[in-house]
Amino acid sequence: ATTLWLGAGLARALLFARSGMYMLDGPLGGLLPVACEIAALPMLLVLSRSTISRAPLAVGLAMGAAAVYASRNRLALSEDDAVADSLFTLAHCLDLLAAFAYLVRTALIDGGAGDVSVGFTHLLMPIQQGFAAYYFLQAFVQVPELVGSGIPFETLQIGNAAAFGAYLGACALFLAECFDGVDSRAGVRLV
């Protein structure tokens, strides 16, 4: 998941460098989100190094497929800059793939129930993605003139709702593991 988050972060950083059209507005907008996104990139790179070196072909294919999909399903918000519009869709596509990788990781890896940071992350991710899903489903009005190519509004709406579901599922699996009544370290049933 971290490699996909790294790809999404790099897409956003390139997007911010190419166009100011996609920057957040409001009290938390401006350069603060850009600075946070760029500050996260070195940490994501360190966490992704082993995945990139272990499976470069798989990483490249996933990033390439997402890039092709994004280029064919993009908005038209930037003034005649199809690359910037495609980078926005690419970041959201990679975030969707990362959400499902996070869900699969949670389902397959036993443990982490006693780690506070893992629990905080499992509880925070559905909340954060819920805001994004709400924005794209309710506040981001579908306007045909803003379609650059393909189905970008549907991509953003369905993708963010599916990512919300994936994070919610990962949170449910984590909570089920926490409250299942089995101390996995001792192998003793607590009921």
Side-chain angles (χ1 to χ4, degrees), residues 27-55:
L28 294 178
L31 293 178
L32 179 63
V34 175
C36 291
E37 193 76 48
I38 291 172
L41 290 177
M43 291 180 282
L44 290 171
L45 180 62
V46 169
L47 292 171
S48 301
R49 277 192 347 224
S50 66
T51 302
I52 294 169
S53 65
R54 192 177 53 235

Side-chain angles (χ1 to χ4, degrees), residues 19 24 43 49 88 90 132 138:
S19 173
L24 291 176
M43 291 180 282
R49 277 192 347 224
F88 182 73
L90 174 62
Q138 294 296 318

Side-chain angles (χ1 to χ4, degrees), residues 87-171:
L87 285 170
F88 182 73
T89 306
L90 174 62
H92 285 279
C93 288
L94 292 174
D95 281 338
L96 172 65
L97 293 174
F100 280 100
Y102 189 80
L103 174 64
V104 169
R105 182 204 170 280
T106 302
L108 295 180
I109 295 178
D110 188 31
D115 190 354
V116 174
S117 64
V118 171
F120 178 73
T121 303
H122 275 88
L123 294 175
L124 182 66
M125 292 306 285
I127 294 169
Q128 177 182 335
Q129 190 60 40
F131 288 133
Y134 175 79
Y135 174 77
F136 284 110
L137 289 170
Q138 294 296 318
F140 198 62
V141 180
Q142 195 166 357
V143 179
E145 292 81 28
L146 296 179
V147 174
S149 70
I151 52 170
F153 285 99
E154 292 83 354
T155 296
L156 293 169
Q157 290 170 343
I158 294 169
N160 279 284
F164 173 62
Y167 286 127
L168 202 59
C171 180

